[in-house]
Structure formats: structure tokens, C-alpha cells
Amino acid sequence: MLIMANDKTAHWKDLLRKRLASAKQDGRTEEEKKAEETELFTKYYSEWKEGENDSFKHIPRFYYRLPAEDEVLLQKLREESRAVFLQRKSRELLDNEELQNLWFLLDKHQVPPMTGDEAMISYESFLKVGEKAGAKCKLFFTARVYAKLLHNDPYGRISIMQFFNYVMRKVWLHQTRIGLSLYDVAGQGYLRESDLENYILELIPTLPQLDGLEKSFYSFYVCTAVRKFFFFLDPLHTGKIKIQDILACSFLDDLLELRDEELSKESQESNWFSAPSALRVYGQYLNLDKDHNGMLSKEELSRYGTGTLTSVFLDRVYQECLTYDGEMDYKTYLDFVLALENRKEPAALQYIFKLLDMENKGYLNVFALNYFFRAIQEQMKIHGQEPVSFQDVKDEIFDMVKPKDPYKITLQDLVNSSQGDTVTSILIDLNGFWTYENREMLVANDTDSSTADLDDT
């Protein structure tokens, strides 16, 4: 290649020399000669470069535009091809019979002694099972997987149950990804709000814990379930969530936990997606809606929870959040509830921080803290309590958060401090401030109650 390049360069130089030699006998002006020289140089240089760099002609096409809305045939073709692809991927997964067969093979090749109640398998037996298990299992029987599950066994073995659970989890993840991908209309690896609504609506009949829901409530249930996904997984409000983010979080596990027909009452109450939880949230909304117009005014929302949220904070809610003629719909209310019930979570803190950051500066200064805490002081006066000094509260907040800048508290400072829920409660909710202010007394009472219970037993 280098010799060819040198030959071409020499040829190009000879041509230029000949042209320059003949130019001496030419009667043209200097400008005309220079113009021709530039033209020839460009021509020969382009030919040389094209010969050297023609690999771009062999680069495979990697971008295919999505069909436009009016290209119905192309859209249908794309949908059908994706469906066929996903069906093929689904057939590559282990079915129930193959999983059962894998378990029998593992059990048959266990290597004594057992560790407690755990059946174990050595690497040699592990490879033998891999050879007998079939092509679909090949990706699970690797040194990397074995090493990942290897812990402190003195014989260098792994637990059969742990390995089987690993396989089951992988199969479940792939099945779920394929199931979610069927609702990915754009085929871009994410779900829009309407896509996720369709997925959950069609999932309801497969969840025994939701058998008691009336069909008239389905739309409210779906809205309640979908809001949790979008509140926590779409903080920038793009209107779409990556499928891999849905699989990585625990929400889908909580939703599919409703397949368990014997789910305890405690588990149902703590699960946002359960029927009791969804009915509780919607029931609260209906109870707040005193004029029964399907929307909540600021006055109606002020009775939320213990009814001790400050009017200043509620003003900010109605200034920043989406409302219709100054009233809040159910979807906006769900965001509000998710933020206040999960104040330790970064997404909830981001929601509340935006409301506290009145001037949109990206931080809270002493003025902002004082503005919100004055409303707490006013509520204390109304309830006949002695107002607490703002200076003391301000110092405590900065001591708790320990911000990088001693005069400014950013959202990241709140998240890093792990005290964001306490700080926000102090600023927006009289009940939250009272709980913080009397924390030592409450702990003492809990201790006394526990001691009394032990004495009784």
C-alpha cells in the first residue's frame, strides 16, 4: 500500500513539473497560470485521496429512519417484524418443563457433604450438567457465573439452590423484557405513558390480588400504578421510561407480587400497587373533594393528612404544579402524595425542593428558610404554642445538612445528608416540625411502653 502511494505521489509530482516547465514558454498571465495550477493540484490530489480512502464505501448502514405517521404500510411491517423477532427470542428461553429438567440434573449431580440444608455442586459436576442440559442452558454454565456464586465453601462448591434461583431470575428478566417490549410501539427501548397503561391494564386479570376490583375502577387503578413509575423513573418529565430502568427498579417486583394469592395483609398495605393501597389513595381524594367536581382546590387540599401543611407551602404547590382553573386533578394529586409519602427518596426531595426554591436559584438560602418557617411559627401561635426562634431552627438545619457552601443548601446537599425528609418536614408541616421538636420525649415514651409490655409478659 505504501509503495503504491509513493508511486502515485511521484507521478503527481512529475505531472506538475512538466506543467511548470511548459508554463515558462506560455504567454499567459501569472494569475491564469496559478488558477490552472490550483485546478490541477485539486484534481490530482482528490484522485490520490480517493484511491487511498475508499473504505467508507464499505461501511454498513446503521441508521434507518422510523416510518412517518402517514406511512401505514411501513409501520405495520415494522410492528410485524418486531413481533416475529420477540417471539423468536421468547422461544430461546427455558420453559417450565426445561427448568424442571434442569433442577433434576442439578440434584442428581450434587456433591456431598451438604452445607446445612444446602445441596452443593462442584465445578466438574457443574460442567457435566451444562453438557446434558441442552443448548438453551449453555449461557448459564460458564466459569464467570460459577465464580459469581462461589462464596466460602471449603470444597470450592456452589449452592444448587442459589444457581437455580439465578437461572430463574435471568429467565424471568428476559421474559418480562420481552413482555414489556411488545408494548413498545416506537421500538426504541422505552415505554410512553399510554404504553405502560396498556401493559398494566392487560396485566390486571393475571393478578389474583386484584380480583375484587370493579371494572369501573380499572382506569383509576391504572392511573395510580403508572404514576409511581413515572414519578420516580422520569424526573425530567420526558413522557417516556427506558424498559431497562423499569426492570432495574423494584416496582415491577411489587406489582407482580400481587400474583401471590396468600399475600399477607401487612404486605398489601405497604405495597403501592395493591387493591387496598389504591383504594385508600383514591378514597382520600374523594373525601377531600367536598364539592364533588372531581378536582381539588387549595382549600380542599389543605385538609390532606393531618391538615397541618402550611398555606405558604400549598400556595407554592398550586403555583408550580399543573392545575386546571386553579384546581388539581387526580394525576397531579398522585404526584403530590408520592412526594410527601416518600420524602427520603431523591425524586420526592426534588419535587419538594422545587417548591421551596421560590426564586429558582438552585439552592435554599436563609431568606427562603425564614419565609417558609414563618408560616410554621404562625400556626404555632394559632394553636396556642410558644413560637420557636428561627435562628435556632436555621442553625439546626445547617448542622444537619452540612452543605458545601455554608450559606446555601442545594438539592444534592439534602440528598447527601440523608436528612432531607426531616428538613422538609420542619419547613412545610406543623405536625412534622412538632415531631422533630419533641423527638426525645417521643423516644422516651416508646421506651417506657416497650418496658411496660415486657413487664406484662
Side-chain angles (χ1 to χ4, degrees), residues 209-408:
Q209 286 294 335
L210 300 181
D211 284 347
L213 283 184
E214 294 184 12
K215 289 195 174 181
S216 59
F217 185 68
Y218 277 13
S219 60
F220 295 103
Y221 175 81
V222 169
C223 180
T224 306
V226 168
R227 278 327 297 162
K228 181 158 188 175
F229 283 96
F230 274 84
F231 182 82
F232 288 102
L233 302 181
D234 184 29
L236 298 179
H237 305 291
T238 61
K240 56 190 180 184
I241 308 174
K242 288 182 180 177
I243 290 176
Q244 67 183 53
D245 289 343
I246 296 175
L247 293 170
C249 75
S250 63
F251 302 157
L252 205 56
D253 288 334
D254 294 340
L255 180 60
L256 297 178
E257 186 182 46
L258 303 180
R259 288 175 174 168
D260 184 358
E261 295 183 17
E262 299 178 359
L263 194 63
S264 68
K265 186 178 179 182
E266 293 76 14
S267 297
Q268 289 185 53
E269 289 175 353
S270 62
N271 189 331
W272 174 266
F273 303 102
S274 71
S277 177
L279 290 167
R280 170 185 65 84
V281 175
Y282 187 63
Q284 288 172 347
Y285 183 79
L286 293 179
N287 288 334
L288 291 173
D289 181 20
K290 288 299 180 185
D291 59 8
H292 306 294
N293 69 341
M295 310 280 274
L296 298 182
S297 64
K298 179 196 161 188
E299 184 182 347
E300 289 172 328
L301 187 64
S302 67
R303 294 181 294 104
Y304 171 80
T306 55
T308 51
L309 291 172
T310 66
S311 60
V312 170
F313 174 68
L314 292 172
D315 285 340
R316 289 291 297 147
V317 170
Y318 280 81
Q319 286 168 11
E320 289 292 330
C321 299
L322 178 64
T323 57
Y324 302 88
D325 294 327
E327 295 204 314
M328 177 185 290
D329 71 348
Y330 185 55
K331 190 178 289 187
T332 305
Y333 172 76
L334 287 171
D335 285 347
F336 177 80
V337 173
L338 285 164
L340 295 189
E341 289 189 358
N342 301 274
R343 294 183 210 185
K344 288 182 180 290
E345 298 298 325
L349 285 175
Q350 182 182 12
Y351 177 98
I352 299 173
F353 186 88
K354 184 180 179 183
L355 302 177
L356 297 177
D357 183 15
M358 298 176 297
E359 299 175 290
N360 199 27
K361 290 181 175 179
Y363 62 83
L364 304 179
N365 54 20
V366 174
F367 173 80
L369 299 181
N370 186 32
Y371 179 80
F372 284 96
F373 190 71
R374 272 187 310 188
I376 296 289
Q377 291 174 318
E378 288 169 8
Q379 280 195 344
M380 293 181 76
K381 288 178 183 176
I382 293 170
H383 288 84
Q385 300 174 13
E386 188 66 30
V388 177
S389 165
F390 169 70
Q391 276 302 121
D392 295 339
V393 172
K394 182 258 297 181
D395 291 342
E396 286 191 44
I397 288 175
F398 275 90
D399 286 343
M400 277 192 286
V401 178
K402 297 180 176 60
K404 289 184 179 180
D405 186 322
Y407 301 102
K408 300 173 182 176

Side-chain angles (χ1 to χ4, degrees), residues 88-228:
R88 190 175 76 241
K89 284 293 181 185
S90 183
R91 287 195 296 270
E92 291 173 5
L93 299 176
L94 294 167
D95 58 30
N96 288 336
E97 187 178 337
E98 289 165 329
L99 284 167
Q100 193 173 24
N101 181 53
L102 174 61
W103 174 255
F104 288 143
L105 284 171
L106 288 167
D107 188 53
K108 187 178 178 181
H109 287 80
Q110 64 176 281
V111 175
M114 294 180 68
T115 302
D117 295 331
E118 292 274 347
M120 311 295 283
I121 189 169
S122 67
Y123 186 61
E124 292 77 10
S125 298
F126 176 78
L127 293 178
K128 287 178 184 176
V129 173
E131 291 172 3
K132 296 177 180 180
K136 286 186 181 181
C137 294
K138 189 175 179 181
L139 71 150
F140 300 117
F141 288 88
T142 64
R144 176 174 290 186
V145 172
Y146 191 90
K148 189 182 291 186
L149 299 173
L150 184 63
H151 296 302
N152 300 318
D153 183 68
Y155 305 100
R157 303 166 304 167
I158 63 171
S159 163
I160 286 176
M161 180 59 75
Q162 285 184 13
F163 172 71
F164 189 71
N165 285 339
Y166 171 83
V167 174
M168 290 276 285
R169 179 70 180 170
K170 284 287 186 181
V171 170
W172 179 85
L173 278 172
H174 286 300
Q175 283 176 339
T176 309
R177 187 183 187 97
I178 290 169
L180 288 168
S181 297
L182 289 169
Y183 294 84
D184 175 13
V185 177
Q188 296 292 291
Y190 61 76
L191 296 184
R192 300 167 304 175
E193 197 163 342
S194 58
D195 300 331
L196 193 55
E197 285 173 353
N198 291 333
Y199 172 75
I200 292 177
L201 183 61
E202 294 184 22
L203 192 66
I204 290 175
T206 70
L207 305 175
Q209 286 294 335
L210 300 181
D211 284 347
L213 283 184
E214 294 184 12
K215 289 195 174 181
S216 59
F217 185 68
Y218 277 13
S219 60
F220 295 103
Y221 175 81
V222 169
C223 180
T224 306
V226 168
R227 278 327 297 162
K228 181 158 188 175

